[in-house]
Amino acid sequence: QVQLVESGGGLVQLGGSLRLSCAASGGIVSINVMGWYRQAPGKERELVAAITSGGSTNYADSVKGRFTISRDDAKKTAYLQMNSLKPDDTAVYYCHARLRIQGRAYRWDDYWGQGTQVTVSS
């Protein structure tokens, strides 16, 4: 029922920009946290950025000053604006949400998107 649909990934040159979107749907009552994670080949999945329902944000040190996370609660959508991209940013980026759904609003559940490839050429 719940789905996270990602868009905006692709191939970009060193120093370029991309904007990722993640739209949540499926009888959602509330969303506590939305965030972006990434995983490069041979590497562990790592948190890139997260934003709470109150607007508090958290960023990995490697992206501070370059990436900005935001959310539109009316659209149930999170965004990741990525500027000054580097080859080390190349990875599969995954959207994550911790949310409550209709019928079981007493509990929080975690959901993940399918992932979108970001490739930065050098």
Side-chain angles (χ1 to χ4, degrees), residues 23-96:
S25 63
I28 296 166
V29 174
S30 62
I31 303 175
N32 183 6
V33 178
M34 297 190 78
W36 293 92
Y37 292 72
R38 68 186 182 189
Q39 188 167 25
K43 302 289 186 179
E44 300 242 317
R45 185 175 297 189
E46 63 175 350
L47 175 69
V48 177
I51 184 167
T52 70
S53 59
S56 297
T57 58
N58 188 41
Y59 296 93
D61 288 341
S62 60
V63 307
K64 286 179 181 175
R66 299 189 297 121
F67 292 9
T68 302
I69 189 169
S70 60
R71 63 190 281 172
D72 184 334
D73 288 339
K75 296 180 178 179
K76 297 183 176 65
T77 300
Y79 305 93
L80 185 67
Q81 179 66 47
M82 305 186 293
N83 299 325
S84 301
L85 283 162
K86 307 172 181 178
D88 284 350
D89 295 319
T90 296
V92 177
Y93 284 69
Y94 297 91
C95 181
H96 164 262

Side-chain angles (χ1 to χ4, degrees), residues 1 11 41 69-70 83 96-98 100 103 116 118 120:
Q1 178 74 306
L11 175 65
I69 189 169
S70 60
N83 299 325
H96 164 262
R98 181 166 293 161
R100 285 171 167 162
T116 185
V118 171
V120 184

